[in-house]
Amino acid sequence: MLKIASLLLGLLALSAGDSIHKDPHFKPGHDAMVHLFEWKWNDIAKECEQFLGPMGFGGVQVSPLQENLVINNRPWWERYQPISYIWTTRSGSREEFINMVARCNKVGVRIYVDAILNHMSGNWQNAHGTGNSRADTNSLSYPAVPYTAQNFHKPCAINNYNDAVNVRNCELTGLHDLDQSQEYVRNKLVDFMNAAIDVGVAGFRIDAAKHMWPADLNVIYSRLHNLKTEHGFPANARPYIFQEVIDYGGKEAVSKHEYNSNAAVIEFKYAGELSNAFRGNNLLKWFVNWGEKWGLLPSGDSLVFVDNHDTQRDNPQILTYKNAKIYKMAVAFMLAHPFGTPRVMSSFDFQSKDQGPPQDGNGNINSPTIKDDNSCGGGWICEHRWRQIYNMVRFRNTVKGTDVNNWWDNGSNQIAFCRGNAGFVAFNADQYDLNTNLKTCLPAGQYCDVISGSLQNGKCTGKTVNVQQNGEARIEIPKGADDGVLAIHVGAKL
């Protein structure tokens, strides 16, 4: 009887915890996350204060915090080759990280750390620079942790995605696979994450979660500290956790549905379906029932995105900044639609798969340069500084708490919908003009189209939309326009 009671209590605890790691704890008036890929801590702090906070962004996913192997030519992926849990990377020092977290929290922007719990570096070839003495990867020894060979699964290659044991207990691209069932390993991972929580981070992206057992991850998450009230979090708030489980809806042995009881999951199928439609391979009209009916996880369980640092390089079907017009349309749809917690990508320009961020001759990351029009230079793309994207973050904040209503489509690739009585958005992905009267659900008056411009000093810098007493307006999106989107909301009313 005691065993049965204990089991029931465990099941009840798991059930009660189903949603505790699914709230990003955005500050009121802030929404959406941006991945400032490979940015330095000092630059992120400045960006929070000067741009992200004022524009209403909710948070930043930062690059890995852990000390990593230094590799010739400094590819971006060296950050995913950890050798310890010391907070020293190309992005900056421990002190700079702590300062950045405090400064961002102060202006209402949360920080989420890309955490590597699955493995330690297995790539000893072509290594150079400082820190190499901390790890002898040939013998699976990481003295700065310390880990020895006993803390890893027996070396074997992942070569069968129809075998869950192979996927979770073998080595991903030669990376030495930690055994998270061991208490010692769990404690090291928990200590690393709790140290970050204690200085004010709001949560974590869990890299390669698909390659770890959900039960082991659940134990680790259960031991994390509550978020700190001194950094502006509510009492008893749990860290937001979004797990990388690559699952486009196929029939592999490991499924996203095994992980969403623990915490949120990065919804790759969302990205795949959006890219497929905006590339013209599916009709936009079908988005009328966008959500779980498409095979997506529930909205509250889903971290959604159009592209990320991996898919940009590995999946030619996924839209990126290199397909600018339709990419901006897809991101606008993501930010206009209430499904999921959205993450905007902010990239550096790359011409080859391994290319690292803009850097000097010594491998030090160069800071982005900011132009007069708010865009970036110096090799940085900064999609989050594109007007069509940051103004849709403001749109999202304005319509928060409303549902999609008054859906309209032309039976093809012209669609429009309202967000309550607070916002309206229209898309034209057809090869002919959109020019028709549509119900906007907004009060009568003049509104600035926040895609073509902004409301500044009482005037629209872009197009103006006149909403009539009956809530209708003439919506025009020519097929050859720079942007295939039009968006208006009550926060941009003249």
Side-chain angles (χ1 to χ4, degrees):
M1 287 295 292
L2 283 174
K3 286 185 177 180
I4 294 173
S6 177
L7 178 61
L8 287 172
L9 284 172
L11 290 172
L12 285 170
L14 181 61
S15 176
D18 274 359
S19 62
I20 60 174
H21 295 294
K22 297 175 184 177
D23 184 345
H25 301 292
F26 294 145
K27 295 278 282 187
H30 295 259
D31 205 316
M33 188 186 305
V34 57
H35 182 192
L36 295 182
F37 182 46
E38 290 279 18
W39 279 47
K40 292 183 289 188
W41 309 146
N42 288 342
D43 292 336
I44 294 173
K46 188 185 301 182
E47 190 73 353
C48 284
E49 294 167 341
Q50 298 181 359
F51 190 83
L52 299 176
M55 289 299 174
F57 281 85
V60 179
Q61 177 187 317
V62 302
S63 288
L65 178 58
Q66 297 151 259
E67 181 187 26
N68 57 267
L69 199 66
V70 177
I71 297 172
N72 284 336
N73 301 319
R74 309 307 299 269
W76 64 269
W77 46 263
E78 74 170 32
R79 297 289 289 269
Y80 294 85
Q81 298 261 339
I83 58 174
S84 80
Y85 299 117
I86 297 170
W87 298 3
T88 301
T89 69
R90 278 209 287 176
S91 288
S93 66
R94 175 186 176 86
E95 292 71 24
E96 288 169 334
F97 179 82
I98 294 171
N99 176 260
M100 176 265 291
V101 174
R103 288 167 63 183
C104 289
N105 275 328
K106 189 174 182 180
V107 294
V109 182
R110 302 310 196 187
I111 298 298
Y112 308 90
V113 170
D114 195 347
I116 305 166
L117 313 182
N118 174 63
H119 58 261
M120 302 299 281
S121 176
N123 185 347
W124 196 245
Q125 286 84 23
N126 301 317
H128 76 280
T130 60
N132 287 356
S133 61
R134 297 186 184 278
D136 176 3
T137 57
N138 288 324
S139 62
L140 278 73
S141 172
Y142 299 86
V145 180
Y147 285 140
T148 66
Q150 284 67 45
N151 301 124
F152 295 84
H153 290 120
K154 184 178 179 181
C156 54
I158 295 177
N159 54 21
N160 183 3
Y161 279 85
N162 292 315
D163 178 354
V165 174
N166 178 260
V167 171
R168 289 169 172 153
N169 287 359
C170 290
E171 296 182 340
L172 178 66
T173 62
L175 298 162
H176 295 152
D177 199 68
L178 282 166
D179 182 357
Q180 292 84 14
S181 70
Q182 295 181 20
E183 277 296 294
Y184 180 82
V185 172
R186 289 173 176 173
N187 288 335
K188 289 297 182 182
L189 299 175
V190 168
D191 289 348
F192 163 66
M193 297 171 77
N194 277 337
I197 291 170
D198 290 349
V199 303
V201 306
F204 304 90
R205 171 191 181 267
I206 305 300
D207 181 70
K210 178 178 185 172
H211 299 280
M212 293 176 278
W213 292 95
D216 292 336
L217 289 174
N218 193 50
V219 172
I220 291 167
Y221 302 160
S222 72
R223 297 177 182 176
L224 297 179
H225 292 166
N226 288 339
L227 302 181
K228 300 300 175 181
T229 55
E230 57 263 38
H231 295 289
F233 297 104
N236 303 314
R238 301 294 288 152
Y240 180 54
I241 294 174
F242 47 110
Q243 305 164 104
E244 185 198 21
V245 183
I246 301 174
D247 180 356
Y248 288 97
K251 296 182 179 179
E252 293 182 6
V254 175
S255 164
K256 61 191 177 186
H257 296 282
E258 298 176 76
Y259 292 83
N260 65 318
S261 61
N262 287 349
V265 173
I266 301 171
E267 182 51 275
F268 280 79
K269 186 175 175 62
Y270 182 105
E273 295 290 1
L274 271 194
S275 287
N276 190 51
F278 280 99
R279 282 189 180 276
N281 300 321
N282 205 352
L283 296 178
L284 296 191
K285 72 170 187 175
W286 300 123
F287 283 149
V288 64
N289 66 349
W290 182 234
E292 288 186 67
K293 291 182 178 180
W294 285 66
L296 305 180
L297 292 171
S299 177
D301 296 0
S302 301
L303 185 288
V304 299
F305 66 108
V306 175
D307 63 329
N308 72 9
H309 64 284
D310 283 318
T311 63
Q312 283 183 333
R313 293 158 175 81
D314 294 334
N315 189 337
Q317 302 307 312
I318 294 293
L319 292 172
T320 73
Y321 72 89
K322 298 185 180 188
N323 322 100
K325 180 176 178 177
I326 53 176
Y327 177 77
K328 287 181 280 190
M329 293 172 70
V331 175
F333 182 88
M334 174 181 76
L335 294 171
H337 198 282
F339 186 91
T341 298
R343 181 185 61 196
V344 171
M345 183 65 198
S346 190
S347 317
F348 56 81
D349 183 47
F350 66 94
Q351 301 305 317
S352 63
K353 180 177 176 177
D354 293 342
Q355 182 179 334
Q359 55 194 282
D360 65 21
N362 295 318
N364 300 308
I365 297 174
N366 293 330
S367 298
T369 57
I370 307 300
K371 301 177 183 178
D372 291 340
D373 65 355
N374 276 331
S375 66
C376 287
W380 297 91
I381 302 298
C382 300
E383 296 95 321
H384 72 286
R385 279 179 165 268
W386 291 1
R387 180 189 65 248
Q388 299 89 339
I389 291 177
Y390 67 72
N391 269 350
M392 285 307 297
V393 171
R394 299 166 99 175
F395 176 102
R396 187 177 186 86
N397 283 317
T398 302
V399 304
K400 194 174 182 69
T402 66
D403 294 324
V404 170
N405 54 296
N406 209 66
W407 177 277
W408 171 88
D409 64 64
N410 70 337
S412 183
N413 292 304
Q414 295 177 356
I415 63 172
F417 57 87
C418 303
R419 290 292 304 276
N421 299 117
F424 168 85
V425 64
F427 298 81
N428 181 13
D430 274 328
Q431 295 305 306
Y432 49 89
D433 297 347
L434 167 56
N435 188 346
T436 190
N437 287 330
L438 294 176
K439 187 173 179 61
T440 68
C441 311
L442 298 178
Q446 289 188 310
Y447 295 82
C448 298
D449 167 34
V450 297
I451 298 296
S452 60
S454 301
L455 172 60
Q456 291 182 2
N457 302 318
K459 296 181 180 179
C460 298
T461 62
K463 294 189 291 189
T464 301
V465 177
N466 295 303
V467 176
Q468 306 303 314
Q469 290 297 326
N470 63 0
E472 289 190 356
R474 193 71 179 177
I475 303 301
E476 300 180 26
I477 308 177
K479 66 174 182 179
D482 290 342
D483 294 300
V485 192
L486 178 148
I488 54 178
H489 61 81
V490 294
K493 185 173 185 286
L494 292 174

